[in-house]
Amino acid sequence: MTINAQAPQLDGEAAPPNVFTDLPSDATPKVPDDPFEPLSVGAMVDRVAAMAVEKATHPWAFLVRSLVGGAMVAFGALLALMVSTGVKTPGVASLLMGLAFGMSFVLILVSGMSLITADMAAGFLAVLNRAMSVGSYAFLVVVGLVGNVLGALLFVTVCGAAGGPYLGAFAERAATVGTQKAGQPFWTALLLAVVCTWFLQTSMCMFFKARSDVARMTFAFYGPFAFVIGGTQHVIANVGFLGLPLLLNLFHPIAPRGTIGWGFGDHGLLTNLGVTTVGNLIGGTLFVALPFWIIAQLQRRRI
């Protein structure tokens, strides 16, 4: 038996409103936007690509931003060498180097300056999004690389000319680290450069995925912190790590420079920069930008 009776009503008493039938038929509950919820992968990809397009459309501003960014990276290398001078335990020395170097990428991202390895990944996302041509991407990479190298070289030149606290034990530490990086075989240096930007540009993408300032700074710090501790190869950081002992020896011949040279020979600065540039490009594009772009496309596909 089915009961289908209404409750009795008193004369003159209005029937209570039906809270369900009185709502519009198309009304759906909306969850308020959480300002601390990370952006979706697709929104992050679009945001990073837009940043690369903005840089490419203002080439002179981009060059200046790259000069400043290169100096910031070299500053991180200087601090990393300073805090690890005299530390005999390799793990502890690497940890201190990472902690000191980590803030360099935070400074670059928060201040809006440019780092070529980040631009490699960001520009490739713009190409995949069809927001940038391949020619514009090549221009972005060349200008960013030149600007970063010159900015970092200018900074270490000033430090090398200054001498002072950068002589003695510091100079010995710089020569040791520089010789170690310059002396790695081709494939070792190339693959460590791939790993470097795999760390670093993932943290860059997380920076643009996050919404809160604390989260952004944490992600920006983690990238360089990880690649320095991991002993990897970064093209602009190596301008600092290899350039400092070379320039200290140039201005102060008593400072050691190990087996590092300036040119394309064994242990040469230019050789190292060439190898690490290729490795950093592979890591940032194929191992970071491409997977994030594919994920974004798959999530946007309607089944």
Side-chain angles (χ1 to χ4, degrees):
M1 180 176 65
T2 302
I3 299 176
N4 187 17
Q6 295 181 349
Q9 297 181 4
L10 297 176
D11 294 340
E13 181 181 5
N18 190 325
V19 296
F20 297 101
T21 58
D22 289 349
L23 284 175
S25 60
D26 61 345
T28 55
K30 293 183 179 180
V31 179
D33 185 42
D34 185 354
F36 298 103
E37 184 71 18
L39 297 174
S40 66
V41 174
M44 179 272 293
V45 166
D46 292 342
R47 189 177 181 186
V48 173
M51 175 195 68
V53 172
E54 185 273 331
K55 289 181 178 180
T57 55
H58 301 89
W60 288 109
F62 174 55
L63 177 62
V64 175
R65 292 161 75 175
S66 299
L67 289 167
V68 177
M72 288 178 173
V73 172
F75 180 56
L78 175 76
L79 294 181
L81 291 171
M82 183 63 77
V83 298
S84 62
T85 297
V87 179
K88 303 301 181 182
T89 306
V92 176
S94 296
L95 176 62
L96 293 174
M97 290 180 72
L99 290 172
F101 195 95
M103 283 304 295
S104 61
F105 202 36
V106 178
L107 291 174
I108 291 171
L109 290 179
V110 174
S111 65
M113 299 301 107
S114 287
L115 180 61
I116 182 56
T117 47
D119 296 329
M120 287 173 176
F124 193 63
L125 281 174
V127 172
L128 293 173
N129 267 1
R130 298 183 179 179
M132 179 184 292
S133 67
V134 175
S136 295
Y137 176 61
F139 175 80
L140 186 81
V141 171
V142 171
V143 173
L145 180 62
V146 171
N148 275 172
V149 170
L150 291 179
L153 194 59
L154 175 63
F155 182 88
V156 294
T157 299
V158 173
C159 295
Y166 307 134
L167 299 175
F170 175 90
E172 293 177 2
R173 171 64 177 166
T176 299
V177 172
T179 299
Q180 185 179 41
K181 286 185 174 293
Q184 290 177 337
F186 172 83
W187 286 109
T188 300
L190 180 71
L191 293 176
L192 287 179
V194 171
V195 173
C196 173
T197 40
W198 202 341
F199 278 136
L200 188 60
Q201 299 334 308
T202 298
S203 75
M204 182 268 291
C205 289
M206 294 301 97
F207 175 90
F208 284 101
K209 198 174 190 298
R211 294 195 186 187
S212 70
D213 290 339
V214 173
R216 289 191 185 113
M217 294 180 70
T218 301
F219 285 129
F221 177 85
Y222 173 75
F225 171 76
F227 90 65
V228 169
I229 289 182
T232 63
Q233 298 263 14
H234 186 276
V235 57
I236 307 305
N238 283 4
V239 176
F241 287 127
L242 277 65
L244 267 171
L246 285 171
L247 287 161
L248 282 170
N249 178 262
L250 178 65
F251 289 105
H252 310 277
I254 60 171
R257 73 175 198 180
T259 58
I260 310 170
W262 286 98
F264 287 103
D266 292 339
H267 296 194
L269 173 64
L270 294 179
T271 298
N272 180 269
L273 297 186
V275 174
T276 51
T277 297
V278 174
N280 289 162
L281 181 65
I282 295 172
T285 55
L286 300 185
F287 289 88
V288 179
L290 183 60
F292 275 122
W293 182 81
I294 292 174
I295 292 168
Q297 299 308 304
L298 292 174
Q299 288 179 339
R300 288 166 173 167
R301 181 180 299 173
R302 294 185 178 182
I303 301 177

